[in-house]
């Protein structure tokens, strides 16, 4: 158990809908990272927050957004969902800002299925 | 841009065999970190090791060992005397400095496509 929690574990929805994925980092970790794992693209970095502020953006679509709240939990919002958004979404956390000094520990993931 | 190649898509071995998972990377950074993660059938990504670019010493942890060779840009992972519980997808990853950000750059992980290891009894 990494200490990172994600809810829900599974999510099934329809095209055009909007969903919110939630992540609670390990106790004391200030950084939260979101990754998407799909069959065709593999594991891709989406976005990072550090202590409530957006820190880095990767291949995140404009239909997707995220935020980190004062209690450090984070939410990833996916809107206008398309079939291709079906994937496993991981959240990871680390104590500080740079992965070269910290290790990212991953949550169990949320499996999103868009029908 | 950084790139990680895991040429072996799938490997199947019989229990107690040794197996090596290959990882080749490309980077322009002089300082970087390499990682291995394990993804068992349950789906969670489990951290195995982090190695910085200045430390080429091989590392051993129980039945796991890692061979980092800067000259060939490789960071291979060997499991000795494999067990059924080792069956999983293994990912190699490389740190990449991201540009910009609100207060300057940050870092992210660039993953290889993964190698699915099946250990048969």
């Amino acid at each position: 158990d990494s200490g990172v929690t994600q809810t829900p574990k599974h999510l099934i929805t329809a095209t055009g809908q909007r969903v919110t994925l939630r992540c609670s980092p390990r106790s004391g970790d200030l950084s939260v990272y979101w990754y998407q794992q799909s069959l065709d693209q593999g594991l891709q970095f989406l976005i990072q927050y550090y202590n409530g502020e957006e820190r880095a953006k990767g291949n995140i679509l404009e239909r997707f957004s995220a935020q980190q709240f004062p209690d450090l939990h984070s939410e990833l919002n996916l809107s206008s969902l398309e079939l291709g958004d079906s994937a496993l979404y991981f959240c990871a956390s680390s104590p500080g800002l740079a992965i070269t000094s910290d290790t990212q520990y991953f949550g169990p993931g949320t499996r999103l299925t868009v029908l | 841009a950084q790139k990680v190649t895991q040429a072996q898509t799938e490997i199947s071995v019989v229990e107690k065999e040794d197996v090596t998972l290959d990882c080749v990377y490309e980077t322009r950074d002089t300082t970087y970190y390499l990682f291995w993660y394990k993804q068992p059938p349950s789906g969670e990504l489990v951290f195995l090791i982090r190695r910085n670019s200045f430390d080429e010493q091989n590392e051993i942890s129980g039945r796991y060992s890692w061979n980092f060779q800067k000259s060939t840009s490789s960071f291979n992972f060997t499991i000795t005397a494999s067990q059924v519980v080792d069956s999983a997808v293994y990912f190699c990853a490389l740190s990449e400095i991201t540009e910009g950000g609100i207060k300057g750059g940050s870092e992210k992980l660039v993953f290889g496509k993964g190698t699915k290891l099946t250990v048969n009894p």
Side-chain angles (χ1 to χ4, degrees):
Chain A
D1 187 350
S2 66
V4 179
T5 60
Q6 289 186 249
T7 56
K9 195 162 185 175
H10 300 278
L11 199 48
I12 301 175
T13 188
T15 53
Q17 295 298 304
R18 172 190 170 95
V19 297
T20 298
L21 313 184
R22 182 187 169 104
C23 167
S24 292
R26 296 185 318 159
S27 177
D29 285 359
L30 298 178
S31 269
V32 169
Y33 308 78
W34 285 97
Y35 289 83
Q36 179 195 57
Q37 185 179 26
S38 61
L39 281 174
D40 51 346
Q41 298 292 328
L43 261 165
Q44 289 198 99
F45 168 74
L46 294 178
I47 197 165
Q48 179 201 2
Y49 277 81
Y50 174 77
N51 204 21
E53 294 186 353
E54 182 186 301
R55 187 67 188 181
K57 262 186 174 180
N59 300 321
I60 187 167
L61 299 171
E62 284 191 16
R63 300 183 284 108
F64 296 180
S65 64
Q67 54 184 328
Q68 186 179 29
F69 295 87
D71 67 353
L72 300 177
H73 90 270
S74 177
E75 291 182 356
L76 179 67
N77 300 296
L78 315 177
S79 61
S80 302
L81 286 168
E82 301 175 0
L83 296 177
D85 298 328
S86 295
L88 191 51
Y89 291 84
F90 284 106
C91 165
S93 74
S94 68
L97 193 60
I99 59 173
T100 51
S101 55
D102 299 322
T103 294
Q104 290 183 33
Y105 291 92
F106 284 75
T110 293
R111 183 168 294 282
L112 173 67
T113 303
V114 182
L115 301 175
Chain B
Q2 264 76 340
K3 185 179 176 183
V4 176
T5 302
Q6 294 180 255
Q8 305 148 309
T9 307
E10 291 193 43
I11 299 176
S12 183
V13 299
V14 177
E15 211 170 13
K16 296 185 184 175
E17 280 185 35
D18 297 348
V19 57
T20 295
L21 309 182
D22 297 334
C23 173
V24 174
Y25 62 92
E26 295 175 29
T27 180
R28 292 181 182 173
D29 295 341
T30 52
T31 302
Y32 51 90
Y33 279 69
L34 293 159
F35 302 77
W36 276 94
Y37 283 85
K38 172 183 178 180
Q39 187 175 37
S42 59
E44 189 164 342
L45 279 166
V46 179
F47 165 77
L48 295 178
I49 189 171
R50 180 182 74 213
R51 173 53 52 94
N52 76 55
S53 53
F54 294 109
D55 182 3
E56 288 194 68
Q57 223 174 5
N58 290 336
E59 181 150 346
I60 299 174
S61 176
R63 296 183 297 105
Y64 295 170
S65 62
W66 290 269
N67 180 269
F68 175 32
Q69 290 197 346
K70 223 168 172 177
S71 59
T72 56
S73 297
S74 65
F75 185 44
N76 297 335
F77 173 32
T78 297
I79 301 175
T80 303
S82 60
Q83 300 176 1
V84 173
V85 292
D86 295 327
S87 297
V89 180
Y90 291 87
F91 291 93
C92 180
L94 170 68
S95 62
E96 176 178 332
I97 306 290
T98 62
E99 299 193 13
I102 294 174
K103 292 179 183 175
S106 186
E107 297 173 66
K108 66 175 185 180
L109 289 175
V110 175
F111 284 87
K113 294 290 188 186
T115 296
K116 182 179 181 182
L117 173 65
T118 302
V119 181
N120 299 297

